[in-house]
Amino acid sequence: VEDKVVLKECETYDLKTLRGPHDYIAVANSSDAIDKIEQCIRVWIKQIEQVLAESEQMRKEADDIGPRAELEHWKKRMSKFNHLLDQIKGHEVKSVLGCLQAAKSKLVATWRELDNRITDAANEAKDNVKFLYTLEKYCDPLYNSDPVGMVDAIPGLINAIRMINSYSRYYNTSEKMTSLFVKVTNQMITACKAFVTNKGLEDIWSQPREQLLSKLRACIRLNQEYQRCFHKTRQKLHKMPNEKQFDFSEMYIFGKFDTFVRRLDKILDMFETMNTYSRLSDCKIE
């Protein structure tokens, strides 16, 4: 879907011979020539309809994908639709349209509608990229820091997401904003797993006990601060009825992190129980 689309070369008519209105009228007056031109634009219409249909399909994404992937997705989309727009503004398409307009072909209306849809899609991608770029520096700690260092970055991150929700033209739908939050959650969990296991090199038994427990508590605190900051922003917005609200599913955004934290709590409980029994074994019965 993300590959650039190249409009097929017109095989039914040599478009280089069309140099201006005089040639367009000559083609329009020949039913054979206009038929060849219409065949050409039908191929392009089919291509563009396929691109638009693919762009409207549900995206297939990994369950643990992070927020950087969102920016990459929209950058690719912007590149694809801008490349298509450049071709639509080119000599060949203009020449074909000139002939069809002179012939009063019904395909002109079909083309105009597709042209508008491509322009809208390009504008949406451009606007989304602009706003997602503002998020980039706030997302960097999710990739480059540990859960301890991430805590300080959360207020700025939540505020940047709030600004996107308030001011973006296209991105501020509940569906897109929730999906963005879920990607932030995913990356936090990924970072927590790497932190606890030393990037997969160790398990919970191979590390010094207190060091491991400190890591587990840091991950739990990250989840708490993330949700606290989210709720603080939501409450602040409730007092500003003219602002776009944070009306997103908390279960959807935080559910996976809460499940992960419950597992960490169980590990903490297990070690606490082991410590208790360990102290009991040190007691001597007189």
Side-chain angles (χ1 to χ4, degrees):
V1 177
E2 303 296 356
D3 296 331
K4 287 182 180 176
V5 176
V6 178
L7 294 178
K8 287 179 182 171
E9 198 172 327
C10 185
E11 295 175 352
T12 51
Y13 198 94
D14 184 4
L15 300 179
K16 292 185 183 71
T17 61
L18 302 173
R19 295 189 178 86
H22 181 76
D23 295 322
Y24 305 159
I25 292 165
V27 168
N29 289 330
S30 162
S31 58
D32 181 52
I34 204 68
D35 185 51
K36 287 175 180 176
I37 290 287
E38 284 190 337
Q39 284 179 52
C40 175
I41 204 166
R42 278 195 183 97
V43 171
W44 294 343
I45 285 170
K46 194 173 178 182
Q47 274 187 281
I48 291 173
E49 282 175 342
Q50 188 175 346
V51 171
L52 288 166
E54 286 173 351
S55 72
E56 287 161 10
Q57 282 174 359
M58 184 76 88
R59 281 156 63 186
K60 292 185 179 77
E61 295 177 324
D63 289 341
D64 60 353
I65 202 165
R68 276 181 181 168
E70 191 67 6
L71 175 60
E72 284 308 308
H73 167 77
W74 288 104
K75 276 166 67 177
K76 284 177 182 173
R77 258 182 88 131
M78 181 174 76
S79 173
K80 180 170 73 173
F81 284 116
N82 282 346
H83 184 65
L84 203 45
L85 274 181
D86 288 343
Q87 293 174 81
I88 287 171
K89 291 171 186 169
H91 166 75
E92 292 194 345
V93 172
K94 280 185 176 176
S95 298
V96 166
L97 275 177
C99 295
L100 295 176
Q101 283 166 334
K104 295 184 169 56
S105 169
K106 290 177 181 176
L107 289 174
V108 173
T110 305
W111 181 263
R112 290 278 179 243
E113 191 221 335
L114 290 177
D115 190 348
N116 289 338
R117 286 173 66 194
I118 291 289
T119 303
D120 284 345
N123 287 339
E124 178 189 21
K126 183 181 176 183
D127 197 65
N128 290 351
V129 165
K130 180 179 78 174
F131 279 98
L132 288 168
Y133 260 129
T134 66
L135 201 63
E136 199 173 30
K137 67 178 178 181
Y138 298 104
C139 285
D140 283 346
L142 303 183
Y143 292 87
N144 306 327
S145 189
D146 61 29
V148 178
M150 278 180 211
V151 169
D152 291 339
I154 292 173
L157 175 62
I158 299 282
N159 188 57
I161 293 175
R162 191 200 109 182
M163 298 303 277
I164 292 174
N165 191 48
S166 294
Y167 299 111
S168 65
R169 284 173 58 200
Y170 300 93
Y171 203 83
N172 61 357
T173 65
S174 180
E175 183 188 0
K176 285 193 179 78
M177 295 303 298
T178 302
S179 176
L180 179 60
F181 266 118
V182 168
K183 288 178 174 69
V184 168
T185 303
N186 287 344
Q187 190 54 37
M188 286 183 178
I189 295 169
T190 298
C192 284
K193 287 176 180 175
F195 183 56
V196 170
T197 63
N198 285 337
K199 297 182 179 174
L201 297 175
E202 300 194 60
D203 59 29
I204 61 172
W205 307 108
S206 62
Q207 302 177 59
R209 181 79 51 86
E210 282 309 313
Q211 186 182 323
L212 173 71
L213 297 180
S214 173
K215 287 180 179 180
L216 298 178
R217 291 186 190 106
C219 293
I220 291 167
R221 180 168 177 252
L222 177 65
N223 185 39
Q224 289 168 342
E225 284 299 308
Y226 179 32
Q227 296 200 33
R228 186 189 67 78
C229 202
F230 177 92
H231 291 134
K232 186 179 174 184
T233 303
R234 175 181 265 182
Q235 285 158 12
K236 191 172 165 185
L237 287 169
H238 279 159
K239 295 172 185 172
M240 304 160 71
N242 293 332
E243 284 280 328
K244 202 153 190 302
Q245 301 297 304
F246 262 23
D247 293 328
F248 315 126
S249 164
E250 288 186 50
M251 177 61 215
Y252 201 63
I253 293 170
F254 303 118
K256 204 188 288 188
F257 211 162
D258 285 339
T259 302
F260 179 69
V261 161
R262 279 195 293 274
R263 286 163 59 197
L264 300 185
D265 280 328
K266 283 178 181 175
I267 296 170
L268 282 170
D269 287 345
M270 179 187 69
F271 280 120
E272 189 59 45
T273 303
M274 286 169 67
N275 283 341
T276 302
Y277 281 107
S278 172
R279 285 194 292 273
L280 278 174
S281 70
D282 292 338
C283 294
K284 291 177 183 173
I285 300 172
E286 298 295 339

